[in-house]
Amino acid sequence: MYAYYSRKEIEENRKTYGQMYDPSHHLVQIDALMDWDFVSRKLSTYYPSEIGRPSRDPIVLVKILMIQYLEGFRSVRFTCRQVRHNATYRWFLGLSPVDSVPDHSTISKFLSFRLRNERFWEELFQHCLVLIHKEGFIANETWAADETELKANANKRVRVTVNEEKKVQEKAEDLALINHFRVRHGKKPLPAKEPKIEIKKTNISPVDGDARLSVKHDERGRFAYFEHRLVDTLHNFILATTVTGANVPGHRQLPEQLDRLRELFGEYAKEIALDSGYYNASLARKLFERGFFVYMSYRRFSSNEHPKCRRHQFKRVYEDLYACPCGVPFSYRTTTRQGYHEFRPPKGSCQGCPYVKKETEDRVLRISIHQETYDKLREQRLSQRGKILRSVRPATIELSFAHSKELHGLRYARYRGVQKTKIQVLMTAIIQNLKKWARLRYLKENGLHLTYKIIEETIC
């Protein structure tokens, strides 16, 4: 049976802490911001109305979890112990001096059985975002995205090798682009390949099957998750967060996150700043289609080319003709299924060249079919606005990750499984947004308006 403290009971209980609690604490400010009626309505759906004994107030359980993530406590047991002796915590919960604090096992079962999936936390996270956006603190001008590693709750030395099936399918848009070039140059179009199933051996943990090995911070590899986060660059609010295994790159998650934000806010941002981990032509093309100005750090790939005969040192004479650093013409031959235009010189032209690696073979110049996309990325990266965004990204998204890890305990995954880890990440994001929202509203009440609308009017 769903039971809760009424607003009148909470106010009566709080009167006993009048001289003991800290009115400047973050929890006091967060309590004034939160829409507890919304939380109560969402929680009531997880409880039967008239069946069973009256439960502990689930809002109290949610508040204890908020205390844990605000203070960065490592366990619920330790959090409950702190609540018993802290007047500000008890004031926030609305407990009287004689009321007992819920046992830590009650909160653990509340998370494991009542809120076993992340739907409630996602709804609360988005509801807070909408309220913040209505007050004008979120600017849909520039967004920044990145990913960080969360160490999984699993021993990296205990590994089990399993066979994972992966469906390999040729990208239809890439094949269409390849055939477009082949037909234009009189070549036969390539037929589409049938999708095939590849079996790949993968190391997993026997205690956390969703985590994957990451060599980002450990050469031998450790089990971890990736959190893919997107923030606004005005006040660094967390706008979207997704948790995956450590083998899923960020460029696969970003388009879906952007589309969800468009549904939430009604529009895309105008600019986005990304690091070199997102350097991908397919992602860049999708961002350009959505109207973004993209700053994407350049990623250097390993190459076997001679230092003085690299492909970027070739000069483009015509669309189908390039000239090497020694002046030898390279003309178009074909476009391969791998997505490269091949240019070759007249037979035997590279013999005796000081930059050739094999004297018996002529040099083959390969240009990506996405070269125009890469050129547009380079142009925006080296523009004046791109240089500004280069300094904006580490001061926003990197700072957001630093606060999560140093202040709110997000360096490690406290739970096992991607669903529970996502709950941990969502609760951390909610706390960070509420802290920032409380601070900005306090400044606004004291005459310092930092809303986006005021800033826009001042600039204009």
Side-chain angles (χ1 to χ4, degrees):
M1 181 184 295
Y2 183 67
Y4 61 94
Y5 288 104
S6 66
R7 174 57 60 180
K8 185 177 180 180
E9 289 175 317
I10 292 175
E11 293 301 328
E12 288 294 328
N13 293 338
R14 285 178 174 176
K15 289 180 180 179
T16 58
Y17 304 105
Q19 300 298 324
M20 292 184 286
Y21 82 102
D22 181 9
S24 63
H25 199 278
H26 285 302
L27 291 172
V28 180
Q29 301 172 4
I30 288 174
D31 183 72
L33 292 174
M34 279 294 295
D35 184 0
W36 296 116
D37 292 334
F38 173 83
V39 178
S40 179
R41 289 195 306 271
K42 292 298 179 182
L43 287 174
S44 63
T45 60
Y46 296 91
Y47 290 82
S49 57
E50 298 178 354
I51 302 174
R53 294 182 301 167
S55 65
R56 294 302 297 259
D57 187 353
I59 294 183
V60 172
L61 306 184
V62 170
K63 287 182 177 181
I64 291 177
L65 290 170
M66 293 178 72
I67 293 172
Q68 178 188 0
Y69 284 88
L70 177 68
E71 302 292 356
F73 296 147
R74 287 297 303 272
S75 68
V76 179
R77 186 192 298 266
F78 181 77
T79 305
C80 293
R81 195 181 305 139
Q82 294 298 311
V83 170
R84 294 191 188 101
H85 310 295
N86 192 301
T88 304
Y89 294 164
R90 296 183 71 93
W91 180 94
F92 178 64
L93 299 180
L95 300 177
S96 69
V98 297
D99 286 338
S100 63
V101 177
D103 190 73
H104 65 88
S105 62
T106 303
I107 302 172
S108 298
K109 291 178 180 178
F110 172 70
L111 273 178
S112 300
F113 297 103
R114 297 289 184 186
L115 306 180
R116 62 171 58 93
N117 57 40
E118 69 277 6
R119 183 165 59 89
F120 166 76
W121 302 105
E122 283 184 345
E123 291 174 349
L124 181 59
F125 172 71
Q126 293 186 358
H127 181 71
C128 293
L129 271 183
V130 171
L131 296 179
I132 296 169
H133 186 254
K134 286 181 179 178
E135 290 197 21
F137 292 123
I138 295 178
N140 289 332
E141 290 290 334
T142 305
W143 292 342
D146 202 355
E147 62 187 34
T148 190
E149 179 186 298
L150 306 181
K151 185 177 180 296
N153 186 7
N155 190 341
K156 66 181 181 181
R157 296 179 180 86
V158 182
R159 307 177 182 183
V160 177
T161 303
V162 297
N163 293 327
E164 279 191 350
E165 291 187 356
K166 182 180 179 182
K167 185 177 181 180
V168 180
Q169 190 170 4
E170 195 173 33
K171 292 183 179 180
E173 52 186 9
D174 286 354
L175 182 61
L177 190 59
I178 291 170
N179 287 334
H180 170 72
F181 283 104
R182 290 180 64 88
V183 171
R184 196 170 67 181
H185 291 87
K187 307 286 184 180
K188 291 183 179 180
L190 299 175
K193 277 188 175 181
E194 293 292 330
K196 60 179 181 179
I197 303 297
E198 289 186 354
I199 298 177
K200 183 180 178 181
K201 291 185 177 181
T202 305
N203 290 321
I204 65 171
S205 170
V207 297
D208 191 350
D210 293 333
R212 289 295 180 267
L213 282 177
S214 170
V215 294
K216 208 172 196 179
H217 300 104
D218 192 335
E219 292 183 358
R220 295 175 295 178
R222 67 182 186 186
F223 292 107
Y225 292 99
F226 278 166
E227 185 211 346
H228 311 278
R229 181 177 295 186
L230 196 143
V231 303
D232 82 308
T233 58
L234 177 63
H235 293 307
N236 215 16
F237 282 105
I238 301 173
L239 304 180
T241 177
T242 307
V243 179
T244 63
N247 60 342
V248 179
H251 63 79
R252 295 184 188 174
Q253 303 296 318
L254 185 59
E256 184 180 351
Q257 289 179 324
L258 295 174
D259 293 340
R260 287 203 303 264
L261 286 179
R262 187 191 180 190
E263 294 176 1
L264 192 64
F265 298 141
E267 60 179 339
Y268 292 117
K270 298 177 182 177
E271 302 168 330
I272 190 167
L274 306 169
D275 73 343
S276 58
Y278 289 83
Y279 194 77
N280 180 271
S282 298
L283 172 64
R285 188 168 60 251
K286 292 176 183 177
L287 294 177
F288 291 144
E289 290 173 356
R290 289 164 172 79
F292 280 94
F293 178 94
V294 183
Y295 169 79
M296 191 180 293
S297 299
Y298 179 67
R299 185 177 180 181
R300 295 185 180 276
F301 298 94
S302 59
S303 174
N304 294 325
E305 296 175 322
H306 193 279
K308 294 186 178 180
C309 191
R310 299 186 185 276
R311 58 180 173 272
H312 63 81
Q313 296 171 331
F314 281 68
K315 292 184 179 180
R316 184 176 181 179
V317 182
Y318 302 110
E319 182 183 3
D320 301 337
L321 185 65
Y322 281 79
C324 80
C326 296
V328 177
F330 279 64
S331 56
Y332 175 84
R333 288 293 186 270
T334 186
T335 301
T336 64
R337 188 181 289 273
Q338 289 71 31
Y340 289 96
H341 303 303
E342 288 192 353
F343 296 83
R344 297 176 183 270
K347 191 172 182 180
S349 298
C350 290
Q351 293 182 5
C353 178
Y355 307 145
V356 72
K357 288 194 172 183
K358 293 183 179 180
E359 296 183 358
T360 57
E361 296 181 4
D362 290 329
R363 170 81 155 87
V364 179
L365 174 64
R366 293 181 175 88
I367 304 294
S368 172
I369 60 173
H370 305 296
Q371 191 60 42
E372 291 184 3
T373 303
Y374 290 131
D375 291 341
K376 188 174 181 180
L377 279 177
R378 184 176 185 275
E379 179 185 352
Q380 295 189 357
R381 182 174 64 250
L382 298 180
S383 66
Q384 188 64 33
R385 187 59 189 169
K387 293 177 181 178
I388 294 174
L389 293 179
R390 181 177 60 187
S391 61
V392 166
R393 193 196 65 81
T396 53
I397 185 70
E398 299 292 354
L399 183 63
S400 179
F401 283 136
H403 287 172
S404 298
K405 294 185 177 184
E406 294 297 326
L407 303 179
H408 306 293
L410 198 62
R411 193 175 298 277
Y412 305 95
R414 293 186 180 130
Y415 307 104
R416 291 171 177 169
V418 68
Q419 267 197 344
K420 290 187 177 181
T421 304
K422 188 170 184 180
I423 291 174
Q424 176 188 353
V425 170
L426 283 170
M427 283 194 282
T428 304
I430 291 170
I431 286 296
Q432 284 188 249
N433 286 347
L434 290 175
K435 279 178 60 179
K436 200 172 294 293
W437 186 17
R439 180 62 177 169
L440 291 171
R441 180 181 278 190
Y442 171 80
L443 294 175
K444 184 178 179 181
E445 291 172 353
N446 286 271
L448 183 57
H449 295 269
L450 295 178
T451 59
Y452 170 65
K453 296 176 183 177
I454 298 296
I455 294 174
E456 188 179 34
E457 291 172 2
T458 304
I459 294 174
C460 294

